Amino acid sequence: MQPPEKLVVVALAPVVVLGIIAVAIASALGSGILAFALGSCAIVCAAGAAWRATVMERTRMEARTERTPAQVASVRVDRRRPTFDRETGLLAEWYFRLRFEEEIARAKRYGHALAGLTIKVSAPTADAIETARLAARAYLRQVDFAGDLGGVIGICLPDTSREASQVVVDRLQELVPGIEVTTREYPGDGETLSALLNEQSWHTTPESARLDEQSAA
């Protein structure tokens, strides 16, 4: 099915062409007929614009009603969940993953580079983990973002190659001695979120399980 905008263009094209021909003929016959032809063209164009607005609004309404009840419920739940982890100040895991998926889709669409970093603390003391979290929050560009994945910190660097991300890696390792930083680049190292976060190399409790544990407590 063609998009509504294309349908409107196809429908109005003959009218516009006939209007131009009518104006040309009317201009040769007299000013009165020319004025009538121009007025008719204006009315047709106004009607076409109103029709286009109606079609686009109906399409938007249909797109909203196409969501399943499960999808609607999921959106409502996500809107009630915090986007930042209150304890760490980093993005909450669900929101970090959502943002990262969006950046992957954008990189795929426009052919941009994308780097994903994961930070693990070799000696996971409270001070070392907190220092790593502070560094991840404070020393990134405005377009970058970091998330707390529970024991592992994830960082997304949009429009950044592996070589360019090395600047961030060096800075983090200088600020936080003893951390292990893994760099994965899209699409060379993978095209999925799991691959770019190198999830096979680290294990953490899934977010849903952590929420269940917190609720039980």
Side-chain angles (χ1 to χ4, degrees):
M1 181 180 294
Q2 292 183 339
E5 292 84 352
K6 291 186 177 180
L7 293 176
V8 172
V9 172
V10 172
L12 291 182
V15 177
V16 174
V17 173
L18 291 176
I20 294 174
I21 296 174
V23 170
I25 296 175
S27 63
L29 297 178
S31 58
I33 299 178
L34 176 60
F36 175 79
L38 290 175
S40 300
C41 289
I43 293 173
V44 170
C45 291
W51 180 35
R52 181 179 186 275
T54 302
V55 171
M56 293 184 67
E57 179 62 24
R58 185 171 66 250
T59 302
R60 285 194 291 267
M61 292 293 294
E62 291 174 353
R64 286 196 293 266
T65 57
E66 284 176 357
R67 288 179 175 174
T68 65
Q71 290 173 326
V72 173
S74 177
V75 171
R76 289 175 178 173
V77 170
D78 285 344
R79 286 178 177 176
R80 291 197 296 267
R81 299 166 69 185
T83 57
F84 286 84
D85 190 302
R86 294 182 179 180
E87 294 184 358
T88 65
L90 303 178
L91 293 183
E93 182 173 350
W94 76 268
Y95 188 56
F96 172 79
R97 291 179 178 275
L98 176 64
R99 290 276 307 277
F100 209 137
E101 291 281 8
E102 291 174 348
E103 291 300 333
I104 293 174
R106 187 175 292 109
K108 182 177 182 179
R109 180 175 182 180
Y110 297 107
H112 293 171
L114 175 66
L117 308 182
T118 51
I119 302 175
K120 292 197 301 181
V121 180
S122 301
T125 64
D127 290 341
I129 294 175
E130 183 60 23
T131 302
R133 289 167 175 167
L134 290 172
R137 286 202 310 266
Y139 296 97
L140 295 177
R141 301 172 304 177
Q142 186 174 3
V143 296
D144 304 330
F145 54 91
D148 194 322
L149 307 180
V152 173
I153 298 172
I155 298 178
C156 179
L157 305 177
D159 298 320
T160 306
S161 64
R162 178 190 296 275
E163 291 75 14
S165 68
Q166 190 60 41
V167 176
V168 178
V169 174
D170 294 341
R171 181 184 301 171
L172 291 173
Q173 290 178 332
E174 179 182 354
L175 293 170
V176 192
I179 62 172
E180 177 186 341
V181 183
T182 303
T183 306
R184 308 279 285 184
E185 181 183 6
Y186 173 91
D189 296 318
E191 300 184 9
T192 65
L193 177 61
S194 179
L196 294 176
L197 290 178
N198 197 27
E199 288 189 289
Q200 293 183 349
S201 67
W202 53 271
H203 302 280
T204 183
T205 304
E207 183 191 15
S208 57
R210 292 206 309 274
L211 292 176
D212 292 340
E213 292 174 358
Q214 293 173 2
S215 299

